[in-house]
Amino acid sequence: MYQDLIKYLEGIDPILAAFYATMFTWLVTAAGASLVFFFKTMNRAVLDGMLGFTGGVMVAASYWSLLAPAIEMSEGEGFTKVIPAASGFLMGALFLFALDKTLPHLHINFKETEGIKSPWQRTTLLVLAITLHNIPEGLAVGVLFGGVAAGIPEASIAGAVTLAIGIGIQNFPEGIAVSMPLRRMGMSRRKSFMYGQSSAIVEPIAGVIGAFAVTFFTPILPYALAFAAGAMIFVVVEEVIPETQQDKNTDIATLGFIGGFIVMMSLDVALG
């Protein structure tokens, strides 16, 4: 089945393939958010473990699927070879840093509001927080498919699909992380689900933009891959990991992180 999927995606426009792949990651987010129809709350230890898993997947994907290919396809030797990856990584982190400081958003614990002051409701601020996570994820998948369209040897459909699968897996708990707190606040199941799944709508948009950009400006591919990696690592260190440390579940969150890293690394090596 996996090989059939690869053959199908190889036969269509890579930008369209990027759209399909990021639609998949969005649908997995919606699947996670749909649990709100069956449960009103979720054990905090379970949520912290799932968020730790999310962080592990993102860190592993940042290296195995993004940084390593970016370095491999860069020209030159020594420090010259690493310049595109290092500069792209820095730009990605700074981009998310700028968004984090300007876009109003609320952390999952409902205690920390960041960005410029806004009269927006806490619901909107929470959705924006998860949306920040999803921008680099969609961009990462799109950039890899764009590399395929540009004919870059180091970029493959299999690698892009593997990354989309990994991103999709870790999107499941992100959907839960939005919908469950909203349900706990008294919001209806339907509205909680709608807000939960809507946080990932940005992924197909970012994916198509990333694929287009690389297709028309092939030399930026190493920078674009590293840019997505830097943005993802910023999200993990600034929001995902601190969020798992709010309660007394640090060991569970750490084991979840290790598990997520192993899963993504295994997927990339075995399938990519």
Side-chain angles (χ1 to χ4, degrees):
M1 183 177 178
Y2 177 76
Q3 294 300 328
D4 291 338
L5 175 62
I6 297 299
K7 289 180 180 179
Y8 170 73
L9 293 176
E10 287 176 342
I12 65 175
D13 187 303
I15 295 176
L16 181 60
F19 175 73
Y20 287 158
T22 47
M23 283 294 291
F24 162 76
T25 62
W26 169 47
L27 289 174
V28 178
T29 305
S34 71
L35 291 187
V36 79
F37 290 110
F38 308 100
F39 307 99
K40 186 172 183 178
T41 61
M42 175 167 285
N43 184 279
R44 180 68 202 202
V46 175
L47 181 59
D48 285 341
M50 296 179 83
L51 288 175
F53 182 90
T54 292
V57 169
M58 293 175 73
V59 170
S62 295
Y63 174 73
W64 295 97
S65 298
L66 301 172
L67 279 177
I71 294 172
E72 184 179 350
M73 67 181 63
S74 298
E75 298 179 354
E77 299 292 338
F79 284 111
T80 302
K81 189 174 182 62
V82 80
I83 286 176
S87 55
F89 189 87
L90 177 61
M91 288 188 290
L94 292 177
F95 173 71
L96 257 292
F97 174 78
L99 287 182
D100 186 67
K101 294 304 179 184
T102 55
L103 185 65
H105 61 283
L106 179 69
H107 288 240
I108 298 171
N109 56 30
F110 287 96
K111 297 177 182 177
E112 302 173 49
T113 302
E114 294 187 350
I116 59 176
K117 292 184 179 180
S118 169
W120 295 345
Q121 294 183 350
R122 299 167 78 195
T123 301
T124 303
L125 296 177
L126 177 61
V127 173
L128 286 174
I130 304 299
T131 300
L132 279 176
H133 294 193
N134 292 325
I135 292 174
E137 295 168 7
L139 185 65
V141 175
V143 163
L144 275 179
F145 276 104
V148 174
I152 305 298
E154 292 82 0
S156 68
I157 289 290
V161 169
T162 300
L163 178 59
I165 292 172
I167 295 297
I169 290 172
Q170 62 91 39
N171 272 3
F172 188 82
E174 286 191 357
I176 298 172
V178 178
S179 61
M180 286 295 179
L182 296 179
R183 177 61 181 153
R184 193 167 60 246
M185 288 171 57
M187 185 175 289
S188 70
R189 288 184 173 88
R190 187 180 66 83
K191 283 189 176 181
S192 298
F193 167 74
M194 292 303 295
Y195 278 113
Q197 60 84 28
S198 67
S199 64
I201 288 179
V202 70
E203 289 197 8
I205 298 171
V208 170
I209 291 174
F212 263 117
V214 172
T215 300
F216 289 104
F217 304 99
T218 305
I220 72 168
L221 181 57
Y223 296 90
L225 289 171
F227 181 97
M232 289 175 68
I233 293 297
F234 181 90
V235 167
V236 172
V237 176
E238 204 277 335
E239 290 204 18
V240 177
I241 292 178
E243 186 59 45
T244 65
Q245 310 300 304
Q246 297 291 325
D247 293 280
K248 299 178 181 180
N249 305 312
T250 55
D251 289 342
I252 294 175
T254 301
L255 291 174
F257 182 96
I258 298 299
F261 190 98
I262 292 172
V263 167
M264 186 65 224
M265 178 179 65
S266 301
L267 284 174
D268 198 277
V269 174
L271 303 179

